[in-house]
Structures are given as C-alpha cells and as structure tokens.
C-alpha cells in the first residue's frame, strides 16, 4: 500500500493571511503518525473485512488542503522569466509600431505629393474665371441716373438699355474666342 507513489493532486486556495495554510487536526495526526484519539473508534473487526461504507453526504471541509509552498527562488526565477518574456514581447510590439508609423508617414508623404501634382495639373488645364468689370463706364452712368432719379427709375431706361447692349457685345466676343 505505501510502496506506490500517490497520484493525488492537491490545490491550495489561501484567502487568509499570506504564507499561512490551515490544515485539519486529522492531517496533523497523520503527518505526525500518531494513533487515533478516543473520539475515533479503532477497527475491531477481528480479521473480517469491514462492512461497506454508507454513502452519506459530508459537509465541505472547513480547512484548506495542505501543500508545501514553492521555494522563494523558484518563484523569483518564474517572475524573472516572465519579466524577460514580457520585455521581449514589448520590444517586439514597439518595433512593429515603429515600422507601421514609418510606413504611415511614407504613405502620407506620397499621397500628399500625388495630391499636389493632381491639383497643379487641374489648375493649369482649366481656365480660371476672371471677374474683370464689364462696361464700367456704362455701369457708372446707370448708377448715377438711379441716384438722380430716386423715385422715377423709368427715366433711366435708356442708360440701362445701353449697358445691356454693351454686356451682350462683351459676352459674344468672349464666346467667339
């Protein structure tokens, strides 16, 4: 019975004070190899097989199973290993971010140059509209007539007609070009 190694796994969950593990009195007795106390009845079966145990639900133990804590050096080594792996991953991601920023900057510069070239091409190929005054002398005559004849604007019909003929002549010459 005692010659084979145990495959039982024990998990310790410690919600109390750090570094303190609670164990039951029964575990302490088994660890110290002491005989059972008077509360527990010794097995007096006289060589007979004990009767099969009756399956009764037992309440959850009020103690946390015991497991020896890991040495500090192992924990420290694990932390150092984790820290090294974290630093490697962080360096890798920082390099990737730097590469993406460089690519983004190059794409931006290329797009900016293409946009500037396209804008220059469109501006050079299309005629810009110039708004030079058309028939300024006739326009001044119409304005002066309206000022002189404030309430009698029909008296300025001749000046308005001359201005409209001048504008039509300029329009026809611009379209014929």
């Amino acid at each position: 019975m005692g010659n084979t190694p145990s495959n039982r796994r024990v998990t310790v969950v410690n919600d109390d004070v750090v570094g303190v593990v609670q164990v039951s009195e029964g575990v302490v007795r088994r660890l110290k190899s002491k005989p059972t106390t008077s509360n527990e009845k010794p097995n007096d079966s006289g060589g007979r097989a004990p009767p099969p145990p009756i399956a009764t639900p037992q309440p959850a133990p009020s103690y946390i199973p015991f497991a020896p804590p890991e040495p500090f050096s192992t924990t420290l080594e694990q932390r150092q290993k984790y820290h090294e792996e974290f630093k490697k991953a962080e360096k890798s991601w920082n390099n990737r971010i730097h590469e993406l920023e460089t690519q983004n900057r190059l794409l931006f510069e290329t797009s900016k140059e293409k946009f500037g070239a396209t804008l220059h091409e469109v501006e050079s190929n299309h005629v810009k509209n110039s708004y030079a005054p058309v028939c300024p002398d006739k326009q001044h005559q119409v304005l002066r007539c309206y000022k002189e004849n404030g309430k009698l604007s029909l008296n300025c019909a001749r000046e308005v007609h001359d201005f409209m003929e001048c504008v039509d002549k300029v329009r026809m010459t611009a379209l014929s070009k």
Side-chain angles (χ1 to χ4, degrees):
M1 281 187 354
N3 293 338
T4 60
S6 174
N7 290 336
R8 186 184 327 171
R9 290 185 180 201
V10 178
T11 303
V12 176
V13 178
N14 192 2
D15 294 332
D16 295 331
V17 181
V18 176
V20 176
V21 178
Q22 295 178 347
V23 294
S24 69
E25 292 178 23
V27 171
V28 172
R29 279 193 307 273
R30 283 191 300 255
L31 289 173
K32 291 182 178 182
S33 300
K34 288 188 177 180
T36 59
T37 61
S38 62
N39 295 3
E40 300 175 10
K41 297 180 181 177
N43 191 1
D44 286 336
S45 58
R48 291 184 286 147
I54 300 171
T56 58
Q58 295 184 358
S62 62
Y63 61 91
I64 299 172
F66 175 77
E70 294 184 26
F72 179 73
S73 62
T74 305
T75 306
L76 181 61
E77 290 170 2
Q78 288 175 348
R79 284 185 182 177
Q80 288 174 346
K81 183 178 178 182
Y82 173 78
H83 186 68
E84 289 172 6
E85 290 175 8
F86 180 79
K87 287 294 183 182
K88 286 179 185 177
E90 184 179 28
K91 185 177 179 180
S92 171
W93 282 109
N94 285 337
N95 288 339
R96 180 69 176 142
I97 289 171
H98 180 70
E99 290 173 6
L100 290 173
E101 286 176 345
T102 303
Q103 289 176 355
N104 188 27
R105 203 173 311 115
L106 291 173
L107 284 172
F108 175 75
E109 292 297 325
T110 304
S111 298
K112 185 177 176 182
E113 290 172 4
K114 285 183 180 179
F115 180 76
T118 305
L119 179 66
H120 180 69
E121 180 183 339
V122 168
E123 286 177 347
S124 65
N125 289 341
H126 298 287
V127 177
K128 290 185 178 180
N129 294 332
S130 61
Y131 299 103
V134 178
C135 305
D137 55 336
K138 300 285 183 186
Q139 184 179 4
H140 288 304
Q141 288 176 2
V142 171
L143 290 174
R144 188 181 50 200
C145 181
Y146 279 143
K147 285 181 183 176
E148 291 173 359
N149 301 307
K151 294 191 179 194
L152 303 171
S153 59
L154 291 177
N155 290 343
C156 301
R158 186 172 181 208
E159 286 84 0
V160 171
H161 182 29
D162 291 343
F163 177 67
M164 287 177 55
E165 282 182 0
C166 180
V167 169
D168 286 339
K169 285 180 186 176
V170 171
R171 184 181 303 140
M172 289 301 193
T173 56
L175 290 175
S176 65
K177 287 183 181 178

